[in-house]
Structure formats: C-alpha cells, structure tokens
Amino acid sequence: MRLPLRLHHQVLGPTLFLVFINDLPEEALSRIGIYADDSTVYSSITGSDQFEKVEMAAELEYDLRGIVEWGNRWLVTFNATKTKLLSFNHHRDPSLVPVKMNDIELPENTSFRLLGLIFTPTMDWKPYLQSIAKAASRKVGSLYRSRRYLTPETILYLYKSTIRPGMEYCSHIWGGAPKTGGLDLLDRVQKRIVNLIGPELSVGLQSLLHRRNVASLSLFYKYYHAKCSAELADLVPPRRVNVRTTRFSERLHKYAVRPPLCKMNFYQFSFFPRTASLWNSLPPDCFPPQYNIGVFKSRVNRVLLHTNH
C-alpha cells in the first residue's frame, strides 16, 4: 500500500536574517529595537540640560559608527541619507545637538513612520489618526459606489474584515488621543457604515471606543499576569495596598493597582495610567480564578456593554 507523502515547507529567509542581524546591538551604549529589518536606535534624558544633550548625541554617534562598522564587516550598507532622526520632547526650547552618521549630519524630521504608526516630536497622534481615517474613508467610499451589487450583510462583513482592523491597529497606544480632530474621525467612518447597512444590522455593531477599551483591558490583563516580555511586565503599576478600609477600597477587586502619578496630561492619557483606572473600576466577577484571557475578555465585554447602556 502506498501512503501519501507530506512535505512540510518552511520559509527560512526571515529566520536566517534574524540570526544574521542578532548580534547588531551587542556593544551599543543606547538601546536598539529590532523588528525584522526595521532597526531603531534610541536613548533618553530626564531634563533639558545641554550637557546631557551633548552626551546623548555623542553616544548615538558612537552607536551609529559601530553599526556602520558592523555593516562593513558583514557586507551590509547603511545609508545615512535614508536614516531618520526624531526627538520626542515637550520643552518649549527643544534645541538639539547635531547627530552625524558617516560624517553626514542627520536632519531633524518632523515625523516618521515606524511599524505602521506615525510618530511626531510631541507624540501627537492626530496625524496618524487622520491618515488611517482617510484611508478607511476611501474604502467606505468604494462600498458606497458598489452598494447596488452588494448586500448589507456583505458590506458589514467587508467592513469588519478589511476596514475596521486598520482603524484599530495598536489602538492601546493612541487610544487616549483627543476626540476632536482625532478619534471622532474614526467614529464618522463607522457612522457611514451604519447608514449604509441600516439600523437592523447595525444594532450589533459595537462602538469603536468600547472595542478599544476591551482590547486595552485584555492587553493589561496579559501584562499583569506577565504573559509578555519582562520589560513590559515591569511597567505594570504595583498592586494597591489599602492601609485602611473605606467604602472606595471595599469596592475594589483584589487585582486593583495603584495608578501612576501623572504630572502631565500627555502621560495621564497614555496606556498604563489610562487603562489602570479602567482596570480598577471593573467588578470582581470579571476575573476568573486562574489566568484565562478568553474568559476575562468575554466578561469585560459584557460588563462594559451593560455599563455603557
């Protein structure tokens, strides 16, 4: 009897590339983030002292020089003209010390795209939200022009599978952006879909805000239980310890955390402070006895739907 032969093919290119580039950050003074072929060198200072800026620029130049030398050894060319420099700060005088690569001074950029997100010096997410809302709006426009050939069910399916995911990518990062001129642009896109499919089908269409909250809480749940890298787990706020019993403390579940102190609105609306407050407001029955992300997400979804209504 002849048995069918099954061959398991594996694409080795990405794996071999990761092995090839794995030793790139070994001798860097700054930190290096690598995702596939996208590498980012970054460093930070706590104040606006000019000496600190000079020192940081020197470290970045040292690391860039080491990266270029590494490339020369392994026959990889790094193009300084395609390398982008961006500083993140909220100071009124963001004077920067020039940084050079291959004796070429890197120009300061007003924004750049990294892993699909658009970053600006002030970490303002409006440019990114405007770009994804514009792209989603164009797709919705295509559905409008094709509506005579598509059923409402098909339009809803296409929206959920091809348009909405683009408006939710990395939403835990930018979910605290201002509503006006930012998040409301995404809501308008979904409203156009609601008008297109009618009230009966749109009843079960959850708001984008609700979906962002569920997604952020689910991610926070994973981080809280250290189902992530050690660097991310260390960022989770510590557990809340109640020195004395109050009506407020009695309402908190046993997984409550101590929200970070925020001196700036910019930090207050970032992922951990924003989600920590939402996390603490959850009822105790949201949390299963053992780690179970599926059960937790389902319960949070149900609780938030009930709360919003």
Side-chain angles (χ1 to χ4, degrees):
M1 183 175 65
R2 301 181 66 180
L3 297 177
L5 178 63
R6 295 184 178 180
L7 299 178
H8 296 276
H9 298 281
Q10 182 177 4
V11 179
L12 292 179
T15 303
L16 293 175
F17 178 81
L18 292 177
V19 172
F20 177 76
I21 203 172
N22 189 52
D23 63 338
L24 179 61
E26 281 188 351
E27 298 180 1
L29 297 175
S30 309
R31 303 188 68 177
I32 299 183
I34 299 177
Y35 185 84
D37 62 344
D38 202 327
S39 300
T40 305
V41 184
Y42 59 99
S43 185
S44 63
I45 55 177
T46 56
S48 57
D49 181 78
Q50 191 66 16
F51 176 76
E52 287 186 296
K53 293 181 180 180
V54 172
E55 189 175 38
M56 182 177 65
E59 290 180 356
L60 289 172
E61 285 192 359
Y62 173 85
D63 293 334
L64 290 173
R65 186 162 55 249
I67 290 172
V68 171
E69 292 174 355
W70 179 91
N72 292 336
R73 286 198 306 272
W74 296 103
L75 306 180
V76 178
T77 302
F78 293 97
N79 194 337
T81 59
K82 294 184 178 180
T83 301
K84 294 192 174 183
L85 174 67
L86 184 68
S87 66
F88 303 102
N89 60 78
H90 284 268
H91 300 294
R92 293 183 178 179
D93 180 25
S95 56
L96 303 172
V97 178
V99 177
K100 293 184 178 181
M101 179 180 182
N102 276 344
D103 295 324
I104 299 175
E105 184 175 323
L106 299 178
E108 178 75 10
N109 283 263
T110 56
S111 67
F112 76 90
R113 186 178 288 272
L114 177 63
L115 300 181
L117 296 177
I118 297 177
F119 291 85
T120 65
T122 58
M123 296 293 284
D124 178 9
W125 294 112
K126 283 186 178 181
Y128 173 70
L129 294 175
Q130 290 167 359
S131 70
I132 61 174
K134 185 176 181 180
S137 184
R138 284 199 298 265
K139 295 177 182 178
V140 172
S142 298
L143 294 180
Y144 261 94
R145 292 188 292 273
S146 307
R147 63 186 182 276
R148 68 175 66 180
Y149 309 108
L150 302 172
T151 64
E153 291 80 8
T154 301
I155 291 173
L156 179 60
Y157 175 80
L158 290 172
Y159 170 67
K160 287 183 175 181
S161 60
T162 65
I163 300 177
R164 190 172 64 182
M167 299 195 297
E168 295 183 330
Y169 172 69
C170 287
S171 63
H172 62 287
I173 295 178
W174 47 261
K179 183 175 179 62
T180 304
L183 298 176
D184 61 346
L185 299 178
L186 306 182
D187 293 332
R188 292 177 193 173
V189 173
Q190 177 150 302
K191 189 174 181 180
R192 292 178 64 191
I193 290 293
V194 169
N195 295 334
L196 192 55
I197 64 177
E200 291 185 7
L201 278 180
S202 60
V203 168
L205 196 60
Q206 298 170 345
S207 72
L208 296 177
L209 173 61
H210 170 82
R211 291 177 55 83
R212 288 194 296 267
N213 286 339
V214 173
S216 292
L217 285 167
S218 300
L219 200 59
F220 195 98
Y221 181 76
K222 293 179 66 175
Y223 293 168
Y224 183 91
H225 289 279
K227 304 298 182 179
C228 58
S229 65
E231 290 83 358
L232 283 172
D234 289 341
L235 295 176
V236 176
R239 271 193 174 188
R240 185 185 182 98
V241 179
N242 297 316
V243 179
R244 59 191 179 88
T245 302
T246 63
R247 282 184 297 177
F248 173 73
S249 64
E250 288 180 342
R251 292 197 300 267
L252 292 174
H253 52 78
K254 65 178 182 179
Y255 303 100
V257 297
R258 189 170 68 245
L261 295 176
C262 305
K263 297 181 180 179
M264 302 177 64
N265 288 339
F266 169 76
Y267 180 49
Q268 179 183 354
F269 295 111
S270 63
F271 173 72
F272 281 105
R274 184 184 78 251
T275 312
S277 299
L278 193 58
W279 170 272
N280 286 349
S281 69
L282 294 175
D285 57 6
C286 273
F287 300 87
Q290 286 82 34
Y291 176 82
N292 190 317
I293 183 64
V295 171
F296 174 79
K297 186 174 183 178
S298 176
R299 292 178 179 178
V300 164
N301 181 62
R302 184 173 61 252
V303 166
L304 294 186
L305 281 176
H306 177 74
T307 302
N308 294 334
H309 289 83

